Amino acid sequence: MTSHDHGVAQSEVPHGGTAFGVMLRSLRRTARLTLEELSEASGVSVRALGDLERGRSRGPQRRTVDALAAALRLDAEQGERLRRLADAGRDRGGPPVSPYLLRTVPDFTGRKQELADLQALATGTRTRAAVLFGPGGQGKTTLAAEAVRRLADAFPDGSVCVQLHGMSDSPLPAAEALVLLLTALGHPPDRIPVDPVAREAVYRAALTGRRALVVLDDAADETQTRPLLPDAEGSFVLVTSRRPLAGLEGVRRIRLGGLSGGESTRLLERILGAPRTDGQSEAITRLSELCGHLPLALRIVGNRLSSRPSWTPARLVGQLADEERRLSGLVAGDLAVRSALTLSYGQLTDPHRVLLRRLSLVPGHDIGPDLAAVLTGEDPFTTEDSLDLLVDRGLLEETAPGRYALHDLVRLFARERLRDEEEAALQVKLRMADWLLRSASMAGRLFEAPGAPEPWAGGPAPFTPASTAEAEEWLTVERAHWAGALPVMFAAGRHREILHTARTLYWFSDRWDAWPEWRTLFSHGVRSAAALGDRAAEAHQLNCLAWTYAVSEGRHQQAEEHARRALELATEAGDIAQQAWASTYIAGACMNLDRPAEAAEAAEAAVRLFTATGDEAGQAVSRRVLGSALRESGRAEEALAVHLALLGNRAGDVPGFQEFAEAIVRHQIARDLLALERWPEAVEAFRAVMTPVTHGGTSRFQGRALLGLATALEHCGELTEAREHLTRAYDLFTAAGDTGSAAETAAAIGRVG
C-alpha cells in the first residue's frame, strides 16, 4: 500500500471512534439514507449529524436519539440499543455496552448437529474461529444467537456481537467494526487508535487472556473479516456469512442447509401452536415442502397464518401451490424470500447473473458444466468456475462432485429474472434442447448395429462418448434433461429430430426397461410421426410405446391397444417388419391378460413375418414369446423344445444384447422345467440364469429368476436356501417398485417359514 493509500484509509475512519457515531453511520447506511435525507426526516441538522458520526459529539440527548430512531424506523430493540450507546457516551466511566445483541427466538427448532459442532469447536483448544455459511434465509443469525445462549457458561468474559451488513450496499468496514468491538470489550472510546493497523493490534491484545465469544454477523468477504479474527487462544469468533470465506486461514467451516422434513413441520407447529395444527398434518407437511424447507420461508408462512386466525394451513397451501405466485406469497411484513434472494443476485457480475437465470431453463434437477456451458455459450471450464462461484454465494448447491442444483425457491426467482431481463430465453431453451437430443443420439447409436446414422448437424458440438460405458453413464445421469427436451423440440416442430432420437435409443431402452422416460420419448415419437404423416414411422413408435406399457409399466391392456393400432398402420404402409413386431407385442399382451391361445396365434404370425424379412433377432424374440405362450397353454414340452432350439442363436448385431438375450432364453427353459415339475433340473437351469449378466435393467429379471429358483428348491426340500433367495428377490422387487411381485414373494417367504 502506498503512503497516499494509507492516508485515505485513515481519513475514512471516524476520528475519536465513538461507538454511537459508528453505529449511527451503520444504521444510516443500512437505511440507504444520505446525511441530508436523515436530517430532513429527523429534524437534526446535517452539521450535527456529521459531528455525531465523526465522534465530535459523543453523547446526544435523549430527544435527539428518539428523533433519529424514528427517522431510521428502528424497532424497539434497536432504538433502545442506540439510546444505551448515547448514555454510555455521556458517561465515560460507565460499563461497556454491546453495540449489537443477537436476538434468540423461543421456538428455535432443529440444528442439533450444527450446535454440537459449534460447541465442540468453541470449547476446544485448536480452533479460534468458525464460519457458519449458507444461502440466505437458512437461519444463520438465529443459529448463532442460539449458540451464544448455550455457550454462555463456557465464556465467562461474555460475548460481543457486531453486525457487518455484508449483504447491504455499504458493508461495515473492518476499521469501524473494530471500534464497536473494542467499545463492547470495555476499551475507552477516546483511546481507540485512529490508525487501522494499530486499532487491530489493540483489539487482538484486548482478547488475549480472555474467554470471550465474538460474533461477526453477516460478513461480506475475507477482507472485511480477517482483521477481526483473534491471535491468541481463549477467545472464539463465530462468523456468519452467505459465503464460505475460503480465503481465511485457521478457521473451521460449517455449511447450513435446509431443515429436514420433520424439523420443518415441527417449526411450523411450534410457531402456530397445537390448536391451529391439530388435524392439519397433511397440510403442514405440504407447506414445508412448498417452502423448500427454508427456515425464512417457514417463518413467513407461520407468521402469515398467525396473523390470520381464520385461515387454515390448507388455504395457504392452495395459494403457494401456484409457482407463479409462490414468491409473492412468501411475504410477511418486512420478511420476504424474494428480497433475500435479490440481495445475493445484486452482488453478482453480469455473466454470473446470466448463468443463474438460464439455469432455471434446465428440465432436470441437477446439471453439469457441459450442459451449463450450452446455456451461456462459454467453455465448460469457465462455466464450472462460475458454477462454483454461485455455490460460494449460496445461490447453488453442489449435490455431488461436478453436479449442481438450484433450490426450488431460487429456481422460481431465477425464472422471474429470466422472464423480466432476457428476450432471447426461448432461443436459449431451444439451443439447449437441440444439444441434448443430439447428444442423446450420439450416445444411443453406440448400442445400435454398426453403421447407425449420426445425428443432425448443429452447434455447439454434442457430447460424444468414447465407449458404451461412457455413453450409458451420460444417458443415465442426464435422462431427466434429454427427456425434458422433447416437449421443447416438439413445440418447435422439430419432428424429424425427435424421431431420430427415438430410433437411436430404441435398443438402449432394453437395458433400462423400467425408466419412465421411455413413455415420454416414444409418445413424442408417435406424435411427431403423425405430424409428418409417416405411417410406417408411427407404427414403429406405437410398437415402442406398446413395449413401454408392457415391460416398464405392466399395463398390458394399453400395450395391446397400441400394438393393434401399430399393426393397422404397418399393414397400410406395407411395412412387414413393424407388422411382425406388432404381432409380437400383441402376443405378449395376450399372454399377460390370460389369453395364451391368442398369444400363441399372434406369436406364430410374428415368426412367419420375421422369417420373411430375414430378421434373426426378431425371429428369436417371437419364438421365445411363442414358447412362453405354449407353456401357459399347458403345452410345456413343446415350449421346452422351442426354447432349447433358441440356445446359441444370434440375436442380431446390437452391442451387448446377445448376452442378455441368452439369459432370457435360459430363464424360459428353467420356467418350462418348473412347469414340467422336473425340480432338480429346474434348480440347475435357474442357477445358470443367475450367472452375472452385464445389463443395466436386470433387477426385476433377476428377481423373477430368484423366485423361480426358490420355488424349485422348495420342492426339493431345500427350504433354508429357498428362503435366502426369496429374501433377495423381495429386496430387488421392492427396489424396482414392482409391488405385485414383491407381494407374491412375501407370500412365498411366509410359506417356506
Side-chain angles (χ1 to χ4, degrees), residues 598-622:
E598 291 181 57
E601 181 180 349
E604 287 172 345
V607 170
R608 290 194 300 271
L609 291 166
F610 279 127
T611 301
T613 61
D615 186 341
E616 294 182 0
Q619 287 183 56
V621 172
S622 58

Side-chain angles (χ1 to χ4, degrees), residues 667 670-671 674 679 682-683 686-687 690 701-715 722 725-726 729 733 744-745:
H667 183 240
R671 293 185 65 184
L674 207 63
W679 312 121
V683 168
F686 276 116
R687 289 195 195 281
M690 295 314 301
F701 172 74
Q702 291 180 354
R704 298 303 304 178
L706 285 166
L707 184 58
L709 175 57
T711 302
L713 287 167
E714 179 185 353
H715 284 90
H725 293 310
L726 287 170
F733 288 137
E744 179 185 353
T745 307

Side-chain angles (χ1 to χ4, degrees), residues 146-161:
E146 184 67 16
V148 169
R149 185 183 71 80
R150 298 191 185 194
L151 291 169
D153 293 342
F155 294 95
D157 294 317
S159 63
V160 294
C161 313

Side-chain angles (χ1 to χ4, degrees), residues 226-237:
R226 188 177 286 108
L228 311 179
L229 299 181
D231 277 334
E233 295 181 1
S235 293
F236 184 79
V237 172

